[in-house]
Every structure is written in C-alpha cells, then in structure tokens.
Amino acid sequence: MRKLLIRLLVFAAAVLAMASAWADSDRHVVLVSDLHVGAGKVGNDWNKIEDFRWQADFDSFLGWVAARGGKGSDLVFVGDTFELWQSPTMTCTGDLSNPACKIPDCNEDDTEIGCNEQEALARLEHVIKAHADFVNSLRSFVAAGDHRVFFIPGNHDAALLFSKVQARLLAEFAGLPVTVESRGYWLSGDGEIYSDHGHQFDDLNQFDRWPAPFVDRKGITYLRKPWGENMVQQFYNQYEYVFPIVDNLSDEWTGVKFALDQASFRQTSVAIGKLFRFVLLQESIRQAFIALGEDQLPQWDRKTVRRMPTDFFLDILKPEPRLYAAASASKKSGGLVFDGASLTDNEVDAICAAKNNLAGATPCPKLSTELGAAVKGIFIGKRQMEVDYLRRVLPQVAADPRQVASVYVFGHTHSAVEPATLPLGEMKGGSVNVVHANTGAFQRVASPSQIEAILAQPKMRTKVALDLQPEDLPACYNFVWVQPYKGSPGVKLLRWSQRADGSFADSQGTCLDAN
C-alpha cells in the first residue's frame, strides 16, 4: 500500500510538472501596440503631432478580429495606446529654422518629473473627446460578442497607473470586460503568454519601481520622467510639428537623421545646437554596440568627463561627416555650448564606450580597468538585456517559478519582429526557451527605402520627405495573433494592409518588408 501511495505521489508530481505542456486555450489572442491615440484635430485638420489617423482602418481590423473570434477573443493593447507625453495644448512655431514649442502643463522644463494626476487626467480627457469614435468602436466590439480588452500601460501612457486616470478610462466601458493592467503586464489565463510594453529593458525609457512610476514632491505625486520623455520634449514636440512623419520611420534615430538630412545646412546647424545632447547620445549608443565581445573595459572617471569642454564631445560625431560639420559650425557661431555636468552615469558610460571604440577620438580618463556596472548594459547588447529581463521577471509572475511563460510579446520600438526562439538558459525548471515577438506599431510606418519609393511616384516628384504626411505612407499595420491552442501557443506576426481595390486583408510579415 505504501509503495502504491508513493507511486501515486510521483505520478501526481509528474502531472504537475507537465502542466504547461497541457496548457490550452479556446480563445484567440490579438496583440497590438503603439497606436499613440492623441491630440486629435484642430478644426477639420489633424493636429500635426497626431499619430492615430486611421479609425476606418482600425474598424476594419476589429471586424477581422470579431469574425475570427470563435468562442471569444482577447484584444491586448501592448502599451502606448494613448499619447500622454505630448500636450494637446502646446503651441509651436512651425519654423524649421527656429523650432520651439510652449507647453503649459506637466513640468516641461523639469528633467525629473512629468504630470501630476490632475494634469494627466486632463490630457486623457482631451484624448477621449478627440477620439470618441475610437472609444465607441471598442465599446461596440466588446459588447458584440465574448470579447475582452486589456490595456497594458507603456512609457507614453504610464499615467494610466494613476487611479483617477485609470478610472476615467474605464468609465467609458462601464459594465464591459475592459481592464487596465495595473500590474504593468498581461498574462494569459494558463500562464503561457506574457506581454508587457518592453520599455523596462530599455535604459532610456524605463521607470524605477515599475509599475509605480511615481515621485513625491512637497506632498504632490508626479510621474517620474525618464530620459526618453525629455528627448520627446526636446525633439519631437518641435520637429514633428514641421516634419509630421519623423516618428513614422523605421526607428527613432532614423527619423531624426532623416529630418536633419532634409533640412538645409543652416537649419541643421540650428537643430544640432538645440539637440546636441540627444544627437551625441544616439551616436554614442550606436557606436558603443560595435564593441560587443570585449572582455574588459575600464570604469570611467565620470567626474572628470563631466567637466570636459564641448570639443571633447564633438568627435563622437566624426563618423557622420554632415552631423560633425553642422555641430562644428553651430559651435563656431556660438549656437552650441555643451555642459556635461548634467550627464547621467549611463550617459557618460555610453559616450566613453563609444570613444574607446572610435579611432582618433580623445579617450575618457579611467578610474580602473574593471568594467563598471552601468556600462555593462551598453556592451551586452539589447538581446541580452531582454534575456536578463525575462530571466528576472518571468519567475516572479508565474504561479510556479519552475513553469514560466513560453511566449513573450512586446512593442515599444515600432519595428515589428517575427516570432523567434529566445534561449533564456538554465533556470529553476531546467533549460528554458521563450518564443518572443514584437508587435510593431499599429500605425503607418516606413523605411528610408520605402520613403524613396513613395517620392519616386510621378505624383510625388515635386516633393521631398519633409512634405510627406502620415497619410502618404502605406496603409499597413502589424499585429501579433495567437490562435486557440492545445499544448503550446502558436504565434504569428501579421500585417493588416490595404489592397489595390481599397479593401484590407491580413498577410504574414512586417510592413517594413512590404512592397
């Protein structure tokens, strides 16, 4: 009898160990990200900073989801659904030679804090009113079948973690299965699919103490402001107003360089003077990644680096002759005086890592030959940062740390990534592999080659990239789809794109690869 009991216990343990292999779901899961539903229209025209201009296209997509919903579907918004970093009340010059914006709310000039709860609530209130059709469409979608909607907060809509802001959004869906994920992530019922926005393994956009990205000052709670939000204020608020597709290009830095390349040399010099910190750091980070694989890199004398003159930092731009010439011209005219005192530790490390790898650059002084903790993230690369992040996070959110999710879906970068196996290495449950995929942005995006193809069209030959509007870009939107499954989820990256007859259809692949 005792032996039989032992065998039963062993069998029960084996069954529990295989629980994830028996996971199943009869629901469709559709994940979209980075809609950036925002400022809306000014009169009959779109506000130039509005990214979500595609309500009719989105409605047809919701119809596709509903038609394939079967027993039910989960529509997961993987962060940055709402654009709450940009103020709908700001005013801009619209002059590329002297771009400037006035932002009356959310502590624009403070590099540490953003909106308080009331300011964030006012921004969301504007967005809801400006995009009533977006809210109505989601309400109709959920009410029409056994569908559920989940909003994961991202870095641009982290304000959803304020209780009043969250309550205001959910009031639009009273009595309906719509959820804001206050945990900062979404996990499928069987624990197999984990999704978050992806900004928490991006040093430039992560928040301390996520999902509580707050800081208190004199009894008032504010959103903490990551470096990325400062960049948005320094660049996109000013330059998107005169170059509306700047963040519809394949990645952030491509958009910036495209804008600077299209401007005249004088305008570029003015822009470099205003944006030198951003340009310097983007070039530093790009060059630092070249050094992957080095065993030992020094710990830099950050205090001395912060006291260096402007010329010390200029040589970072030498691999980009146009940017270097513009920065030099701006400095010569007095338009560029860089004070390194405000650089963070990570920013100093990125600059010094790039200089260490750049022939002819004046090197940073060193404290020791030991690799500093902050610079490790720069040199291990984005993929390894994702691996380290998932190794830490997945056991924390799993019911059993030995049985972590087998799928990770994120957004944030605006560039869709096909599903692929990501080895996480040895963990408590043994060797773990995760299928990861990036949803891309559910907005119109284009690569530089696609922009060139658009400008080559006969009707566009009198235009340059600065003239293009988001509506000129291909009507194509990426998303991730997981069909009902038994055993383990099958993940597909699809694009929702317009055909020659004007109708939409799904197909496999990324919009940046589409013709």
Side-chain angles (χ1 to χ4, degrees):
M1 184 69 179
R2 183 178 178 183
K3 288 184 179 180
L4 178 61
L5 180 60
I6 291 173
R7 287 176 181 173
L8 288 173
L9 289 173
V10 170
F11 177 74
V15 168
L16 288 173
M18 295 179 63
S20 66
W22 289 2
D24 61 75
S25 172
D26 59 0
R27 299 183 67 82
H28 291 258
V29 179
V30 176
L31 303 104
V32 296
S33 184
D34 294 88
L35 283 73
H36 291 272
V37 180
K41 291 185 175 182
V42 179
N44 294 322
D45 298 322
W46 287 111
N47 189 314
K48 292 183 179 180
I49 62 169
E50 177 61 64
D51 291 320
F52 186 75
R53 310 180 182 192
W54 331 114
Q55 186 61 48
D57 301 354
F58 185 69
D59 286 343
S60 66
F61 172 71
L62 288 180
W64 181 91
V65 176
R68 285 156 181 76
K71 293 184 178 180
S73 58
D74 291 337
L75 178 60
V76 183
F77 289 93
V78 189
D80 287 4
T81 307
F82 304 103
E83 180 50 79
L84 301 180
W85 272 6
Q86 292 181 315
S87 173
T89 59
M90 73 181 184
T91 56
C92 301
T93 64
D95 178 6
L96 189 60
S97 298
N98 186 30
C101 294
K102 292 182 180 179
I103 301 175
D105 62 345
C106 294
N107 303 291
E108 175 198 9
D109 296 327
D110 194 310
T111 60
E112 299 296 327
I113 61 172
C115 296
N116 61 36
E117 189 166 32
Q118 287 304 123
E119 289 171 325
L121 184 61
R123 285 191 176 185
L124 180 66
E125 189 74 50
H126 180 100
V127 171
I128 288 173
K129 290 179 179 177
H131 291 275
D133 46 1
F134 175 74
V135 174
N136 289 335
S137 291
L138 285 179
R139 192 185 293 121
S140 299
F141 166 75
V142 173
D146 185 16
H147 307 303
R148 303 182 298 206
V149 168
F150 301 86
F151 292 104
I152 302 172
N155 52 316
H156 281 247
D157 54 9
L160 292 175
L161 293 165
F162 277 126
S163 59
K164 290 181 180 178
V165 176
Q166 183 175 139
R168 175 64 188 91
L169 176 62
L170 293 179
E172 294 292 321
F173 305 100
L176 296 172
V178 176
T179 304
V180 174
E181 292 290 353
S182 299
R183 303 173 297 178
Y185 65 88
W186 176 82
L187 188 68
S188 62
D190 59 5
E192 284 295 296
I193 309 170
Y194 173 81
S195 180
D196 63 20
H197 185 56
H199 62 285
Q200 282 302 106
F201 60 90
D202 173 1
D203 283 348
L204 302 182
N205 287 287
Q206 66 182 213
F207 293 91
D208 295 337
R209 300 190 301 120
W210 184 260
F214 306 119
V215 59
D216 290 329
R217 281 196 185 177
K218 297 180 179 179
I220 301 175
T221 301
Y222 298 90
L223 280 170
R224 190 177 295 277
K225 186 182 291 183
W227 186 88
E229 185 172 0
N230 285 308
M231 182 274 296
V232 165
Q233 291 177 346
Q234 293 171 30
F235 185 81
Y236 286 113
N237 286 343
Q238 301 172 16
Y239 288 86
E240 188 176 11
Y241 197 81
V242 290
F243 185 37
I245 67 165
V246 69
D247 65 346
N248 294 86
L249 292 171
S250 50
D251 63 68
E252 196 171 79
W253 183 222
T254 296
V256 173
K257 288 182 65 177
F258 213 99
L260 296 178
D261 285 344
Q262 290 293 311
S264 69
F265 185 79
R266 177 180 174 277
Q267 291 167 338
T268 302
S269 298
V270 171
I272 290 287
K274 287 177 173 285
L275 295 170
F276 182 69
R277 180 191 180 106
F278 172 68
V279 172
L280 169 71
L281 291 170
Q282 286 294 319
E283 276 298 292
S284 297
I285 291 168
R286 184 183 68 82
Q287 293 167 24
F289 276 112
I290 300 172
L292 283 167
E294 292 194 15
D295 295 326
Q296 288 293 326
L297 291 164
Q299 188 173 9
W300 314 108
D301 183 352
R302 297 167 179 154
K303 185 176 180 180
T304 300
V305 171
R306 291 187 175 101
R307 295 198 299 262
M308 289 294 190
T310 302
D311 284 337
F312 175 80
F313 300 98
L314 277 179
D315 59 14
I316 290 291
L317 303 185
K318 285 183 178 178
E320 295 283 348
R322 179 179 172 84
L323 297 185
Y324 179 72
S328 300
S330 183
K331 177 182 177 294
K332 187 175 181 180
S333 67
L336 171 58
V337 179
F338 183 66
D339 180 10
S342 63
L343 291 170
T344 67
D345 287 352
N346 280 1
E347 290 169 348
V348 171
D349 289 341
I351 290 167
C352 292
K355 279 176 162 287
N356 190 65
N357 193 55
L358 185 61
T362 305
C364 290
K366 306 171 185 176
L367 286 177
S368 73
T369 57
E370 181 183 353
L371 180 61
V375 77
K376 288 180 181 177
I378 296 167
F379 285 88
I380 61 177
K382 292 181 180 179
R383 180 184 174 95
Q384 187 59 45
M385 290 173 73
E386 182 186 348
V387 168
D388 292 346
Y389 173 73
L390 292 176
R391 284 177 59 85
R392 181 178 74 254
V393 169
L394 292 185
Q396 294 175 359
V397 304
D400 181 344
R402 296 168 299 178
Q403 298 294 333
V404 300
S406 63
V407 171
Y408 173 51
V409 180
F410 63 106
H412 183 54
T413 66
H414 291 201
S415 295
V417 175
E418 293 274 7
T421 299
L422 183 68
L424 300 186
E426 291 297 319
M427 295 173 66
K428 284 187 176 180
S431 183
V432 175
N433 293 322
V434 169
V435 174
H436 72 145
N438 189 310
T439 64
F442 200 93
Q443 54 179 274
R444 298 189 183 185
V445 295
S447 65
S449 61
Q450 287 173 317
I451 295 293
E452 291 174 6
I454 291 168
L455 293 173
Q457 298 172 12
K459 64 179 180 180
M460 294 289 188
R461 283 180 181 164
T462 60
K463 295 187 176 184
V464 296
L466 281 172
D467 299 322
L468 296 180
Q469 298 295 314
E471 290 85 350
D472 295 320
L473 304 182
C476 184
Y477 316 89
N478 276 115
F479 65 99
V480 166
W481 180 32
V482 182
Q483 299 181 62
Y485 55 87
K486 289 187 180 296
S488 60
V491 186
K492 291 183 179 180
L493 176 71
L494 300 179
R495 56 186 176 226
W496 183 246
S497 54
Q498 193 170 36
R499 298 182 292 195
D501 63 0
S503 63
F504 279 81
D506 60 287
S507 58
Q508 204 140 358
T510 76
C511 290
L512 292 176
D513 297 329
N515 294 324

